[in-house]
Amino acid sequence: MAYKSLDAGTYQSMQIHIEASQASAAMELDPVVVDGTSFALNGRNLSYRFHVDDASGDLVSSHFGASLPSTLPDAAVGRQGGWSNMGDVRREFPDLGRGDFRAPAFRVRTAAGGTVTALKYQSHEVRPGKAALEGLPSTVAAGGEASTLVIHLLDKHSQIAAELMYTVFPEHDAIARSVKITNKGKGDITVEKLASISVDLPHAEYDMIGLRGEWTRECSRTRRAIDYGSQGFGSMVGYSSHFHNPFVALAPPTTTESDGEAWGFSLVYSGSFRAEVEKSPHGAVRTQIGLHDAQLSWPLGPGEALVSPECVAVYSNAGVGGMSRRLHRLYRRHLIRSSFVDQPRPVLLNSWEGVYFDFDGDTIVEMASATADLGVKLFVMDDGWFGAKYPRTSDHAGLGDWTPNPARFPDGLKNVVDRTTALTVAGSDEKLKFGIWVEPEMVNPKSELFDKHPDWALQADGYPLTEARNQLVLNLALPAVQDFIIDSMTTLLRSAPIAYVKWDNNRGIHETPAPTVFHAYMLGLYRVLGELTTRFHDILWEGCASGGGRFDAGMLPYFPQSWTSDNTDPVDRIAIQFGTTVAYPASTMGAHVAKVPNETTKRVTSLAFRAHVAMMGGSFGFELDPRGGDIPDADRAQIPALIKLAEKINPIVVNGDLWKLSLPGESNHPAALFLAEDGSRGVLFAFQMLGQTVHSQPTLRLQGLNANAHYRLDGEKEYSGATLMNGGLQFRFAGDYDSRAMLIERV
């Protein structure tokens, strides 16, 4: 309690010392400790413990939280009794029909129609490192970076087996968990529900933190108290969706961005999902996340198996921000496989908001030339370049026909790409790079592909096809569709020197022939993306789904960045980007400067404000026509300097740790600090949303610095870390939507 009365810098230094002591103690523990049938997974500040109950043979959880050097006293995990005669028995993989009346982690229906299961411990094994899951995106690690524990369970009556696969990443205080269900019996079974993880936390008050939204307002951070009964969210769109992100966090009400305990659960999956949080009548809280049970019903014949997507669970005693930083580092090091993961991203200009569908080859070269004159390194040609019989001159036709429109490109696409990549970028000796937009999972009814293969579109037998944005969804559960996409994209990408691909997806899934198609579709998509990103590993791939409709951990192994939102208004983007980075590294966000008034909100903001917001993403760029009126002369003169600033900042954003100093929605002055992992340099972003007359400016106290080190601000004055954390900085803002971007260097 005395610590709280100390000044902020001294208190933070003491907290760092305490955390370092905790880390030192925890690192003396092996990552996986097995004592008979008691199991412990240990991180630097984390312990995850469970054991086999001697009487029942059930696998029972005892702790997920701060580091424990030994087992808990028996009283801490005892039964409460009550009307269920069982209370909150914390089964590690809770089943259905044996007295635990809370949500089960899985549900299997046998050929006889039964749903009761009794999975009992059989054996275990410990493996070094972490192998990839077959057919699914997942974390990977070498032997010195992680350890994996596999628990084998069996229902001897039904001969249903389960493998619980746990990988502990000690440096990140993270556990990756997935489940494999195998039918070892003689009859068919159906998996009707399968959560990737189920965690019971002991009686306490908790808040649930999630990311909700819609098109143009993705990843709004929400926090609400967990009440008795069931609550949660999910997606039945076929994709992770704009509506709810496949991430949920739990924290006590006292936890803040920088202090207190927090547990985060991130599903490495891009399809329909469900997150469930249940508070029992006794006060215990169970959290689950996994495949959406309304879109599963997965049949398994004898010998067949189903593997769940992976869930990454992290624990932090340094607030919600500490939880986020653990996820960020883990994903940059162990999930994103692209060679661009730790590389600065080229400043780009995308053609979409500049010309939409109204262009031809000469227009593209003119825009590219003006782009190079601004000092931009990558020009991206968006939608509208393809289709012969059904030209893509609007969103009514052409999807599926991935050949250049001969009327727009009479000399071929390669001619335009070659003319573009021959341009020299102003202020450098680099040549302009060329990127392209595609939407391979979709088809227009007005297309040669649909004429030839109408059966390739997802459809329910006897029901009419439902169009959205004048398009249908291809059935990627079919190997023939997968092969078509792989072949057509390979042909395109080998036809010209293309350096970047924006892979879009602009509608949800409606009709399907069976619930199994939803997951089968995702498995097909992962096969396609895995093949293409391996063949073309030198290409920078960016995901998109009408903005952030599929911004999830399942996309990260294939796309090191995703388009965060179609809303480029910087005021809205601050909230969207602060929300997205609760779960995902800033390096994965695409963020662009658009013209004003903004297309979505009609709001007018300064070029500097728009640019500073966009610099907080790993991929910084522009979304406008560089040739004329989209850029006023006064703004045009500023762009070269802003690009140079963005290029200085980008390596820090791509590889650094993010400290959110004040949050949008809670402050008129949101601010964030990015620090290189070694603490040698950083960048501070500070914003004023609305101007206030005759009012003093707030003090902004930095975090994460070394109190005893000295730091140079914008190459000028030097201050100690303690001064910057205790005394802080004050900026003189002017009017609505003002901003600062300050470079920080440790002396």
Side-chain angles (χ1 to χ4, degrees):
M1 291 179 64
Y3 293 163
K4 296 291 184 181
S5 65
L6 299 174
D7 62 88
T10 304
Y11 173 62
Q12 185 170 6
S13 295
M14 296 184 74
Q15 286 293 95
I16 292 173
H17 175 74
I18 292 169
E19 290 183 12
S21 299
Q22 292 173 339
S24 176
M27 286 303 288
E28 295 177 4
L29 300 173
D30 290 334
V32 178
V33 176
V34 179
D35 181 8
T37 55
S38 180
F39 307 94
L41 307 171
N42 299 304
R44 288 186 172 182
N45 304 287
L46 159 79
S47 285
Y48 188 109
R49 288 180 166 271
F50 54 92
H51 62 277
V52 178
D53 181 74
D54 292 336
S56 66
D58 290 335
L59 204 61
V60 178
S61 170
S62 54
H63 179 75
F64 177 26
S67 182
L68 293 181
S70 62
T71 58
L72 288 167
D74 290 342
V77 294
R79 298 188 179 198
Q80 294 86 16
W83 188 67
S84 69
N85 195 36
M86 195 170 198
D88 295 331
V89 173
R90 293 162 58 176
R91 288 188 180 130
E92 185 66 14
F93 192 50
D95 51 26
L96 185 67
R98 292 196 299 127
D100 181 352
F101 295 109
R102 293 172 293 161
F106 74 105
R107 184 175 66 252
V108 175
R109 186 175 298 277
T110 66
T115 57
V116 174
T117 47
L119 290 168
K120 306 295 184 178
Y121 170 82
Q122 297 296 301
S123 63
H124 70 272
E125 55 185 303
V126 179
R127 304 168 182 167
K130 167 67 163 60
L133 294 182
E134 184 177 355
L136 284 165
S138 63
T139 54
V140 293
E145 300 170 319
S147 298
T148 298
L149 170 68
V150 182
I151 302 292
H152 299 276
L153 306 175
L154 179 67
D155 182 331
K156 292 184 178 179
H157 176 72
S158 66
Q159 289 298 300
I160 295 170
E163 290 182 12
L164 310 185
M165 295 167 278
Y166 303 81
T167 297
V168 58
F169 296 86
E171 183 179 350
H172 305 286
D173 289 333
I175 306 290
R177 225 282 292 265
S178 61
V179 180
K180 181 179 181 179
I181 301 293
T182 302
N183 180 8
K184 293 191 174 183
K186 297 180 180 179
D188 295 341
I189 65 173
T190 302
V191 181
E192 297 182 332
K193 178 181 180 179
L194 183 57
S196 299
I197 195 168
S198 179
V199 170
D200 285 348
L201 295 179
H203 172 76
E205 298 300 317
Y206 298 99
D207 289 346
M208 178 171 64
I209 300 170
L211 302 172
R212 64 163 180 83
E214 238 286 12
W215 175 70
T216 70
R217 50 180 175 84
E218 296 89 338
C219 284
S220 297
R221 177 174 174 162
T222 60
R223 182 168 179 165
R224 51 179 161 145
I226 296 172
D227 204 348
Y228 287 92
S230 296
Q231 50 248 272
F233 52 84
S235 168
M236 294 179 63
V237 178
Y239 311 113
S240 50
S241 88
H242 300 77
F243 305 151
H244 295 284
N245 198 270
F247 164 84
V248 63
L250 270 62
T254 54
T255 293
T256 65
E257 179 68 20
S258 56
D259 187 53
E261 291 188 302
W263 292 261
F265 303 89
S266 179
L267 188 66
V268 186
Y269 191 63
S270 308
S272 295
F273 74 95
R274 173 175 283 180
E276 298 176 87
V277 180
E278 182 178 4
K279 187 172 183 178
S280 79
H282 306 95
V285 171
R286 172 173 290 176
T287 305
Q288 299 176 353
I289 190 168
L291 298 166
H292 202 297
D293 52 341
Q295 296 177 340
L296 188 59
S297 296
W298 195 271
L300 293 178
E304 294 181 339
L306 172 65
V307 178
S308 79
E310 183 172 279
C311 177
V312 173
V314 296
Y315 167 77
S316 169
N317 55 8
V320 175
M323 175 204 70
S324 298
R325 287 187 291 277
R326 282 164 169 75
L327 274 174
H328 296 173
R329 283 197 180 191
L330 177 73
Y331 283 167
R332 290 200 304 264
R333 295 180 184 178
H334 297 290
L335 183 61
I336 304 173
R337 301 174 191 172
S338 168
S339 60
F340 291 91
V341 60
D342 57 0
Q343 298 301 309
R345 312 291 162 77
V347 177
L348 67 83
L349 186 143
N350 185 287
S351 69
W352 178 245
E353 289 191 23
V355 293
Y356 300 102
F357 290 105
D358 186 17
F359 65 86
D360 60 16
D362 289 338
T363 305
I364 291 299
V365 175
E366 289 173 5
M367 292 183 71
S369 180
T371 297
D373 290 343
L374 291 173
V376 173
K377 303 291 180 63
L378 168 63
F379 175 80
V380 180
M381 179 176 65
D382 210 279
D383 195 357
W385 58 268
F386 50 90
K389 181 179 179 181
Y390 301 97
R392 181 72 168 177
T393 56
S394 71
D395 63 9
H396 287 73
L399 282 177
D401 300 342
W402 300 109
T403 55
N405 180 341
R408 291 187 165 182
F409 301 95
D411 297 319
L413 177 62
K414 186 177 186 302
N415 174 269
V416 172
V417 178
D418 287 345
R419 290 160 64 192
T420 297
T421 55
L423 297 167
T424 301
V425 175
S428 75
D429 57 1
E430 296 183 45
K431 298 297 184 182
L432 187 65
K433 290 182 170 61
F434 185 91
I436 200 166
W437 176 98
V438 295
E439 193 176 0
E441 299 165 69
M442 303 291 160
V443 63
N444 286 123
K446 291 183 179 180
S447 67
E448 294 182 69
L449 179 63
F450 190 78
D451 287 349
K452 186 177 181 180
H453 294 290
D455 55 312
W456 282 7
L458 276 172
Q459 50 199 284
D461 185 40
Y463 290 88
L465 298 177
T466 302
E467 294 182 30
R469 202 174 181 256
N470 309 300
Q471 63 194 54
L472 302 169
V473 184
L474 290 172
N475 186 357
L476 269 77
L478 301 175
V481 173
Q482 300 166 26
D483 291 341
F484 167 78
I485 296 174
I486 292 171
D487 292 343
S488 59
M489 290 299 104
T490 296
T491 299
L492 169 65
L493 297 177
R494 286 177 177 168
S495 69
I498 295 169
Y500 162 103
V501 172
K502 179 179 178 180
W503 184 292
D504 211 343
N505 178 300
N506 278 303
R507 61 156 290 179
I509 294 174
H510 291 184
E511 295 87 16
T512 60
T516 55
V517 170
F518 289 93
H519 184 53
Y521 179 106
M522 293 312 306
L523 295 177
L525 176 61
Y526 291 140
R527 180 204 163 211
V528 168
L529 295 180
E531 183 67 32
L532 288 172
T533 56
T534 299
R535 286 186 187 182
F536 300 99
H537 60 275
D538 292 331
I539 286 178
L540 175 57
W541 296 81
E542 177 170 299
C544 180
S546 295
R550 202 163 60 186
F551 201 125
D552 56 63
M555 288 287 107
L556 292 185
Y558 316 105
F559 302 146
Q561 61 191 52
S562 286
W563 183 227
T564 317
S565 176
D566 283 347
N567 186 351
T568 52
D569 178 80
V571 176
D572 290 347
R573 266 303 188 105
I574 289 177
I576 291 169
Q577 292 172 189
F578 269 68
T580 301
T581 50
V582 171
Y584 306 105
S587 63
T588 64
M589 295 193 303
H592 296 172
V593 176
K595 62 186 177 183
V596 291
N598 182 266
E599 181 191 59
T600 303
T601 66
K602 311 307 177 188
R603 187 180 283 123
V604 175
T605 53
S606 71
L607 176 64
F609 186 82
R610 282 175 276 155
H612 289 158
V613 173
M615 288 178 196
M616 297 178 70
S619 178
F620 170 80
F622 296 85
E623 195 89 13
L624 42 74
D625 188 340
R627 296 173 297 173
D630 284 0
I631 310 176
D633 290 343
D635 286 354
R636 189 177 294 273
Q638 298 180 53
I639 287 178
L642 288 170
I643 289 175
K644 290 186 181 300
L645 177 61
E647 291 177 336
K648 287 182 181 179
I649 287 172
N650 191 250
I652 305 171
V653 172
V654 166
N655 292 299
D657 292 325
L658 173 58
W659 300 76
K660 296 172 183 173
L661 309 181
S662 56
L663 301 177
E666 297 181 6
S667 172
N668 188 48
H669 295 87
L673 174 65
F674 289 90
L675 286 174
E677 288 191 12
D678 64 3
S680 62
R681 53 191 179 143
V683 57
L684 171 66
F685 292 98
F687 304 95
Q688 174 167 281
M689 307 310 290
L690 297 178
Q692 295 173 303
T693 61
V694 196
H695 202 285
S696 62
Q697 300 293 327
T699 298
L700 188 60
R701 293 181 174 89
L702 307 192
Q703 299 179 30
L705 304 180
N706 183 327
N708 299 316
H710 282 73
Y711 297 86
R712 184 179 294 116
L713 306 184
D714 275 342
E716 297 179 355
K717 294 184 178 181
E718 296 179 11
Y719 302 91
S720 71
T723 298
L724 295 173
M725 291 189 292
N726 293 340
L729 298 169
Q730 278 187 311
F731 294 105
R732 187 177 298 278
F733 292 109
D736 298 346
Y737 314 130
D738 197 8
S739 59
R740 298 290 186 275
M742 174 178 283
L743 290 166
I744 299 174
E745 183 180 8
R746 189 174 63 203
V747 179

